[in-house]
Amino acid sequence: MRSVLVTGGNGGLGLGIGRYFLEQDPECRVWLGVRNNRAAAESLVSEYPDRCTCLTLEVTDLEAWKSAIEQIVASDGQLDVLVNNAGMHRDGLLAAMEAETWHDVISANLDSVFFGCKAVILQMMRQRSGRIVNIGSLSSIMPPLGQTNYAAAKAGVVALTRTLAKEVARSGITVNAVLPGYIETEALSGMDEEARKKAKSGIPMRRFGKVTEVAAAVYFLAAGEASYITGSSLKIDGGIF
């Protein structure tokens, strides 16, 4: 049985990725890493009680990561796939941005990926196999106004992905990133109709992406068929960039 950990497992994208693995691979077990607000994650667990587990995980705490990985390995014997999906926005112009806002966003989006990769890499090296997929953002290569903190964090994720991929390639481990653009999740729920129309007008496909379209890309990068793909960043943006 393939063991998969998805962080940010209580949000739309994390839940969508977890569900996609469960639906596409009847032999996989999915662990949903969440900090709080577990209701949505527990709902998915109730659909797949034998193959899905909700795991308490503070992604900005290395010791919490170590404890989570120990729990997974004790249960499944290994960890095959890590999807670093947890993150947050706290947008604002740099001139008015508080240092706390900067650090919180960097920690949630970049430190969390560092801690996650550090926590799983030795286990994957012992296995001589593993897949790490980091969820970046189109903001890392095409940042909008007001996202200096978020764009910097996600650009760091891309650089970390490329570098780590080189470090562990000989151990049978791949490390890749996906860079979603506008995706229909709770992150877009606050946009009014006018803002949505304006955003779509800048997308060649004239629509927002679907969670399943991101999940399918993650699933592919975690599959055996993608074993020669590493250090890549796949944008999923409807042609914006």
Side-chain angles (χ1 to χ4, degrees), residues 131-160:
R131 299 283 185 268
I132 298 174
V133 182
N134 298 321
I135 306 300
S137 170
L138 192 65
S139 293
S140 65
I141 55 175
M142 192 176 177
L145 295 172
Q147 282 196 349
T148 50
N149 49 4
Y150 184 75
K154 291 301 189 180
V157 169
V158 171
L160 183 155

Side-chain angles (χ1 to χ4, degrees), residues 53-172:
T53 302
C54 195
L55 180 71
T56 299
L57 176 58
E58 171 50 71
V59 294
T60 61
D61 182 344
L62 180 57
E63 293 306 312
W65 267 105
K66 290 179 179 178
S67 177
I69 301 308
E70 288 174 0
Q71 182 178 339
I72 293 170
V73 173
S75 171
D76 297 351
Q78 62 188 44
L79 176 60
D80 301 289
V81 180
L82 168 63
V83 182
N84 279 309
N85 168 70
M88 63 174 282
H89 285 268
R90 197 173 295 170
D91 298 349
L93 298 177
L94 186 143
M97 185 177 294
E98 299 290 340
E100 181 182 10
T101 300
W102 170 269
H103 288 298
D104 286 350
V105 171
I106 294 293
S107 181
N109 294 283
L110 181 56
D111 291 350
S112 63
V113 175
F114 165 69
F115 290 142
C117 291
K118 185 173 178 62
V120 304
I121 209 67
L122 289 179
Q123 174 63 34
M124 289 184 172
M125 290 177 76
R126 283 192 289 267
Q127 298 168 184
R128 302 294 295 178
S129 66
R131 299 283 185 268
I132 298 174
V133 182
N134 298 321
I135 306 300
S137 170
L138 192 65
S139 293
S140 65
I141 55 175
M142 192 176 177
L145 295 172
Q147 282 196 349
T148 50
N149 49 4
Y150 184 75
K154 291 301 189 180
V157 169
V158 171
L160 183 155
T161 297
R162 291 176 177 171
T163 306
L164 181 59
K166 294 178 180 179
E167 294 179 4
V168 299
R170 290 187 179 182
S171 297

